[in-house]
Amino acid sequence: MGRKTIKVDYLARVEGEGALNVTIRDGQVSKAELRIFEPPRFFEAFLRGRDYAEAPDVTARICGICPVAYQMSAVHAMENALGIEVEGQLRALRRLLYCGEWIESHALHIYMLHAPDFLGYAGAVDMARDYPDIVKRGLSLKKAGNAIMALLGGREIHPINVRVGGFYRTPTRKELEPLAETLKQARENALATVRWTAGLEMPEAERDYHLVALHHPGEYAMNVGRIVSNRGLDIAVADYNRHFVESHVQRSTALHSHLREHDCYLVGPLARYSLNHGQLSSLARETAKEAGLGVTCTNPFQSIVVRSVEVVYACDEALRIIDEYREPERPFELAEPKASEGFGCTEAPRGLLFHRYRLDASGGILEAQIVPPTAQNQPSIEADLKDLVGGWLDLPADTLRERCEQTIRNYDPCISCATHFLKLDVRHE
Amino acid sequence: MARSDHKPRLGVWKFASCDGCQLTLLDCEDELLQVAGAVDIAYFPEAARGSGRGTYDLSLVEGSITTLHDAERIQDVRRRSRTLVTIGACATAGGIQALRNFADIDDFMAAVYAHPEYIETLSTSTPIADHVPVDFELRGCPISKQQLLEVVSAYLCGRRPVTPAHSVCLDCKLRGNVCVMVAHGTPCLGPMTHSGCNALCPSYNRGCYGCYGPKENPNAPALSERLDQLGMGRAERLRFYRTFNAWAGPFREESERHGP
Ligand code: SF4
Ligand code: SF4
């Protein structure tokens, strides 16, 4: 067979700019490289010298698709540094805001970015010509997530209402209640989404992943928990750097992240679902079962179904929070600056997002470290390609290339996120 | 604008950015399919596969210029676009990336990178209009949905978009907000900031941080004096002017007055 290469010069339907090179030699994949050429963005450097209170607004700008994830990891890390805990209704409202982001980001990915792969369209607008009702259902689902973000965050992209300690303003019960109707409708759409995605034709592809996610004993983990894995990892967030390490490779303006002992690992919906299945709402669990999912899922193509199940859960959870909402006395807990270090890790729609900050006595940021999910998944994406492409070599060239792109889109990669450059100084290791 | 038998061709281009402004187009859930019916979305890689070849009636450009390659690419986009509209603070003012414009890039690189030799980047982040003629600039970090729809429909009808240029303060008055600076002593960039968000932050009890950039002819020294009276120190004021529109004329100049 000799040598053959698959090239995708510009990956479509992912957030940010990337490309793919796969080299096949004698029927074997000899190289699979996801190249990221998004221009470097120096966020960790920009954060130095800023005030701790500015971190949620600044880090939101790393990514327009998951700004809440950045805001949540930032506020949790700052609160950890300053020794305050946000509990009760403020904690619940943060979870509600995050549900909004899970719903809108997952709906965007399921309907507009990922589904066209399964059905053979260039994008959702093309797909809408043949499946108008399905695309409209996706848009309406996405809109429901955005409605939460707009009410609680002030706006959908780069919400303005998140601060260290809580919110600038908390909603009244009356303001929140109308969301419940929207979300009940959204939950119906989410159930339909699970059934629909479960019926899509899926390539067979089981992979033996090292799955990593947050775990919390009392809830499907979003904002807080320990970092656990299916191979026995169980650590506090503050120990992240003892177990994970980033390296800088030439082909990519994003750093690669590895587990020190076990190399590559996977974060995101498959990991969350497989490690925390028991904590889904009963409706989400039943729906998953009907869709043919087991209690774990390691077929990367089925991530579209797992995302849909998480949307059912996020609707359920948002409805629960709204139902139990009592207006808090204060919109935020006050923090006193002090020299300190803090860690925060939350579950972005795409997976684990780690922040660490070192502060001076007046709350100025001395050092910031941010590890986004796509940097963590990049080695796993390449491993998928290496593992799977060999089995697809008799596909026609175009189909093979599309299948490779789809393999990348399984991860819903966020290239802008991955390309903001972590502070990294290997010489000190 | 386009030949009558052709739908106008729309291109959405990305430079250094967070994708938030182009996402605003996908967030127009109710109008998206109408827009898609009225134009040929010929290039929009975040939403669909496409080659990016050919010419465009309307190009929406997001992001700032931070690499040599991008400085060349924007020339090509301009040549092939009849109308070019920049969207967002990155594209109109260099965005948060322009914070590097105030730093010494060499120190910066050495401090941040393990392998600076792998990195290709310019020492500056500059707005699109510094590189090519721009037909219209839409402000905001991110831009507003309503204004985006106004701009797209205006160009489809061949007229200038209507986007007000007054300050956030006026929007507060129109909304009936209590002034956060007068009533609570909260520092607010509203008096200098361009309208577009409908005075969002003051409506949520916080001061404006200027994400829509400077309005025309703001009175910056007066605002700085007020911030000083509120107890905001010099270094804090400097940071206040340097966020998502740090490189935009009036914000930049006022920040430089507070510099070291
Ligand atoms: S202006 Fe703001 S929202 Fe728009 S691309 Fe730039 S950082 Fe993102
Ligand atoms: S009030 Fe200011 S910071 Fe807030 S959204 Fe409006 S322009 Fe942006």
Side-chain angles (χ1 to χ4, degrees), chain A residues 157-172:
Chain A
I157 301 167
H158 307 332
I160 52 88
N161 194 23
V162 172
R163 57 169 287 167
V164 176
F167 293 88
Y168 288 91
R169 180 166 95 67
T170 47
T172 61

Side-chain angles (χ1 to χ4, degrees), chain A residues 61 157-158, chain B residues 17-21 62 88-90 140-142:
Chain A
R61 268 68 183 186
I157 301 167
H158 307 332
Chain B
S17 71
C18 82
D19 282 32
C21 287
E62 173 192 87
C90 294
C141 176

Side-chain angles (χ1 to χ4, degrees), chain A residues 41 43 60-64 157-158, chain B residues 14-22 24 62-64 87-92 94-97 139-143 211 244-245:
Chain A
R41 292 152 82 231
F43 275 93
R61 268 68 183 186
I62 292 173
C63 176
I157 301 167
H158 307 332
Chain B
K14 172 187 162 72
F15 291 82
S17 71
C18 82
D19 282 32
C21 287
Q22 49 176 315
T24 305
E62 173 192 87
S64 62
I87 55 171
C90 294
T92 59
I96 188 166
Q97 290 302 313
R139 322 284 201 90
C141 176
I143 54 172
C211 75
F244 310 101
N245 285 280

